[in-house]
Amino acid sequence: MARRSMRLVEYGKPFQLTKEEVPTAPKGGAVVKTEYAGMCHSDVLIMDGDFPMPLNTVMGHEIAGTVHDIEPGEDLKVGDRVAVYWQGGCGECSRCEVGETIACLKDIKRHLGAMEDGGFSDYVIVPDTRLLVKVPDTVAMDTACLLPCSGLTAYNAVCKMLPTVQDFAKHTADCAVLLVGAGGLGLWGVQFAKQLLPAGVRVISADVDNVKLATAREAGCDEALLWGKDVDDDTAVAAAKKACGGLGAAVAAIDFVNVPETFGRIEKILAPGGMHVLVGLLGVGASGSVPLMPYVLNRHQMTSLLMGSLPQLKDLMALVAQGKIKPPPISHHPLENVYDVLQDLKAGKVEGRAVVKL
Ligand SMILES: [Zn+2]
Ligand SMILES: [Zn+2]
């Protein structure tokens, strides 16, 4: 038996298909037989060398499959359906102990599909069994693979705005939040906002694409704003403030795009004391600017995030298992096509999420 892997051997070049022996579980870890591996925009950045990743590594960090090899005595057994939390740390510091491996105190990054071999392969070595999250029967495996990256990022973004929104909601029934970007993350975001934020909070979605906005409406947003190329800043800001209702401003906003234009608009739409959550990775090489004195006078808050924690992934899995969250449209592709599909993703030609089916 062999495992097929697609290896990144040179930045910007097609992957190399390699065949190796199926690995065995390392001490304290497991081997997962990959069923689905999602293709993500950050894969495009890795593939082109914009994100540091060692060459000769297998990409693919959105992984779901079944346990193939594991030491006896673990909570999981061979055959169990699992999603892989891909951002391992040292596994020993107090942050890693509680599942905050992304903030490992020793700054060890055992990131599968980015620093170590990931899911564009029949089998994946998981260094620590604690990184495995059981997939309930009610969650489809092609959905499960998306949760540790795009799902978790959107979930964490809504969690970041939650305390601010809850605080406003104690004082006014007229709260609105703005979600910029109605792509894959934005659609998760609209649904999580509807599930997690206090009842009655208006969720407003903005995007440059009318088709995406229609999907955001289906996902449950209360208002959809077209921020097309011909819409100037003043018009976009005025329309957003109007859509926010009585307060005339958003109490919090998530920027899933994060380019200077969206950054500047959000700062003008936020209510005093509002929370600005920076998420998107599209502003490669760009920077935003804030007028410093108004920022302080308006008591604006700003935060950023990258994915989320392992405990959050478990909470997210439980939420999705309730059947209230609709996954984005998912297309399946053979392993051999992964490079070509990533090129399509880079060119903006992929609707919803594309996953490799092993
Ligand atoms: Zn990802
Ligand atoms: Zn650690």
Side-chain angles (χ1 to χ4, degrees), residues 36-46 51 53 58-64 83-87 111-120 124 144-150 153 281 307 313 342 353:
Y36 291 102
M39 285 175 260
C40 178
H41 183 72
S42 42
D43 287 321
V44 174
L45 299 177
I46 294 171
F51 261 3
M53 166 166 154
V58 180
M59 287 165 42
H61 55 267
E62 304 187 341
I63 308 161
V84 179
Y85 182 78
W86 58 285
Q87 295 182 302
H111 294 183
L112 308 184
M115 307 302 290
E116 301 186 10
D117 284 356
F120 298 155
V124 181
C145 81
L146 303 178
L147 299 185
C149 184
S150 62
T153 301
L281 295 173
M307 267 58 82
L313 175 59
L342 282 170
R353 299 296 282 196

Side-chain angles (χ1 to χ4, degrees), residues 123-155:
Y123 294 86
V124 181
I125 301 168
V126 180
D128 189 332
T129 57
R130 290 174 294 183
L131 302 174
L132 299 175
V133 176
K134 250 190 168 172
V135 179
D137 292 341
T138 51
V139 180
M141 289 298 268
D142 58 355
T143 300
C145 81
L146 303 178
L147 299 185
C149 184
S150 62
L152 185 57
T153 301
Y155 183 80

Side-chain angles (χ1 to χ4, degrees), residues 206-271:
D207 198 283
V208 294
D209 184 340
N210 243 331
V211 178
K212 287 186 178 161
L213 287 175
T215 332
R217 276 194 202 93
E218 279 169 34
C221 80
D222 298 288
E223 192 129 6
L225 304 171
L226 184 63
W227 281 7
K229 293 227 178 322
D230 51 340
V231 181
D232 63 64
D233 276 351
D234 289 346
T235 310
V237 169
K241 288 184 159 211
K242 187 159 173 264
C244 287
L247 222 50
V251 302
I254 302 172
D255 195 346
F256 289 114
V257 180
N258 221 8
V259 295
E261 193 177 45
T262 57
F263 179 89
R265 287 179 184 182
I266 287 174
E267 279 299 310
K268 289 179 189 156
I269 295 162
L270 272 191

Side-chain angles (χ1 to χ4, degrees), residues 145-180:
C145 81
L146 303 178
L147 299 185
C149 184
S150 62
L152 185 57
T153 301
Y155 183 80
N156 191 11
V158 174
C159 290
K160 290 272 188 205
M161 59 154 61
L162 184 59
T164 303
V165 180
Q166 282 171 330
D167 188 55
F168 270 98
K170 271 191 258 168
H171 300 283
T172 171
D174 217 350
C175 283
V177 298
L178 174 66
L179 271 53
V180 177

